[in-house]
């Protein structure tokens, strides 16, 4: 039997919103093991259903060629009507995880403006009330009016007619959860991918930076376990942001 590989070739992709979906386990496994969400199992159905310990939230991950692959429905509470969030198949799991991590945080953050982080990193006004990324591939906007705000839409596109993914948040989705999502969206740090040849929406070097790096195999294998431990520890200690794979040093150009 050949020895196990000592290193794995990983590509670090930036901007992260064009990196592809990644491994869904980055979201689902911590929800179950670190946050106590229960799951139903049907081997004949290609889907995952996870429900929160209080049975107020249900996360569905289901292949849907005509719609959103991730859908989270939350029941009404005394101070808030029912709300939802959904994410397309190519939404990077790291950005979805920022949302679910904020949702399950035992010490939830205060209300925040979802636009604030985007403005700090150079996103510019778009339409009547939206923002667009510097590369013009990502858009965040809220429908409605100041007196009657509506749903949030985060859309990533390549050109005028090719939508890569879309995230949607109902009008009653807590603002700090949407803000956690947009903060992760704005994060300039590249994200690791080991299957980028089939997951990337584009390989245009003018739009994405791809930096290959040999990473110790044990580091790749234990990244998810470290994330689970970090999230499980939030109930006993202040939250820490896991950084499973250290991105390569910044460079002046794009490598392929």
């Amino acid at each position: 039997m050949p020895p196990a590989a000592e290193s794995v070739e990983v590509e670090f992709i930036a901007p992260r919103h064009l990196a592809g979906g990644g491994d869904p386990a980055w979201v689902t496994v911590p929800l179950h093991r670190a946050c106590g969400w229960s799951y139903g199992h049907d081997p004949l159905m290609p889907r995952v259903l996870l429900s929160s310990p209080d049975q107020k939230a249900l996360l569905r991950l289901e292949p849907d060629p005509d719609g959103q692959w991730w859908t989270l429905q939350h029941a009404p509470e005394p101070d808030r009507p029912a709300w939802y969030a959904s994410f397309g198949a190519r939404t990077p799991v790291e950005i979805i995880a920022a949302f679910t991590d904020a949702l399950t945080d035992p010490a939830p953050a205060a209300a925040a403006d979802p636009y604030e982080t985007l403005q700090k990193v150079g996103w510019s006004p778009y339409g009547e009330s939206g923002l667009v990324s510097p590369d013009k591939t990502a858009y965040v906007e809220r429908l409605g009016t100041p007196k009657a705000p509506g749903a949030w839409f985060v859309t990533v596109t390549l050109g005028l007619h090719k939508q890569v993914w879309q995230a949607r948040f109902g009008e009653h989705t807590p603002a700090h959860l949407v803000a956690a999502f947009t903060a992760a969206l704005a994060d300039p740090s590249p994200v690791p991918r080991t299957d980028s040849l089939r997951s990337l929406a584009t390989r245009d070097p003018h739009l994405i930076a791809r930096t290959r790096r040999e990473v110790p195999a044990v580091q790749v294998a234990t990244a998810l376990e470290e994330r689970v431990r970090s999230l499980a520890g939030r109930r006993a200690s202040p939250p820490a942001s896991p950084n499973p794979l250290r991105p390569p040093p910044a460079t002046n150009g794009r490598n392929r």
Side-chain angles (χ1 to χ4, degrees):
M1 182 175 179
E6 295 183 358
S7 63
V8 176
E9 185 177 82
V10 177
E11 281 198 319
F12 291 86
I13 312 295
R16 53 179 48 197
H17 62 265
L18 292 174
D23 185 357
W26 196 250
V27 176
T28 59
V29 170
L31 280 176
H32 173 58
R33 292 178 50 196
C35 305
W37 288 45
S38 57
Y39 66 90
H41 178 63
D42 185 345
L44 301 181
M45 296 294 290
R47 67 185 180 191
V48 175
L49 297 174
L50 285 164
S51 55
S52 61
D54 61 8
Q55 299 298 300
K56 291 182 178 180
L58 175 67
L59 177 67
R60 178 189 298 265
L61 170 57
E62 186 171 20
D64 183 353
D66 298 317
Q68 303 290 82
W69 283 41
W70 300 81
T71 304
L72 189 145
Q73 300 280 352
H74 199 285
E77 297 179 288
D79 62 341
R80 186 181 302 275
W83 56 269
Y84 74 90
S86 67
F87 312 98
R90 289 181 179 268
T91 311
V93 293
E94 293 84 357
I95 308 179
I96 298 174
F99 181 90
T100 56
D101 289 355
L103 173 64
T104 57
D105 194 334
D113 180 359
Y115 285 143
E116 183 176 355
T117 303
L118 301 175
Q119 292 168 329
K120 288 181 178 179
V121 296
W123 286 47
S124 55
Y126 165 74
E128 293 184 2
S129 60
L131 293 176
V132 59
S133 62
D135 64 4
K136 306 297 191 254
T137 62
Y139 304 81
V140 176
E141 58 184 329
R142 189 172 197 183
L143 304 183
T145 65
K147 291 185 178 180
W152 291 88
F153 287 83
V154 180
T155 308
V156 173
T157 66
L158 293 173
L160 296 176
H161 305 293
K162 185 178 180 182
Q163 180 174 297
V164 179
W165 59 265
Q166 187 175 75
R168 306 166 190 167
F169 305 97
E171 60 183 295
H172 300 296
T173 305
H176 77 280
L177 301 183
V178 183
F181 186 90
T182 57
L185 175 67
D187 188 341
S189 304
V191 293
R193 291 290 183 268
T194 56
D195 62 348
S196 63
L197 288 178
R198 63 183 177 86
S199 67
L200 289 178
T202 179
R203 299 183 183 89
D204 185 343
H206 298 291
L207 291 177
I208 65 169
R210 299 167 58 194
T211 304
R212 292 187 179 93
R213 180 180 169 205
E214 292 291 325
V215 175
V218 65
Q219 186 177 344
V220 175
T222 60
L224 182 56
E225 289 297 322
E226 292 179 6
R227 170 166 158 73
V228 169
R229 284 195 296 270
S230 176
L231 291 178
R234 293 184 303 183
R235 299 183 180 278
S237 61
S241 299
N243 187 17
L245 298 180
R246 187 181 301 277
T251 61
N252 294 326
R254 287 182 163 89
N255 298 325
R256 297 198 64 180

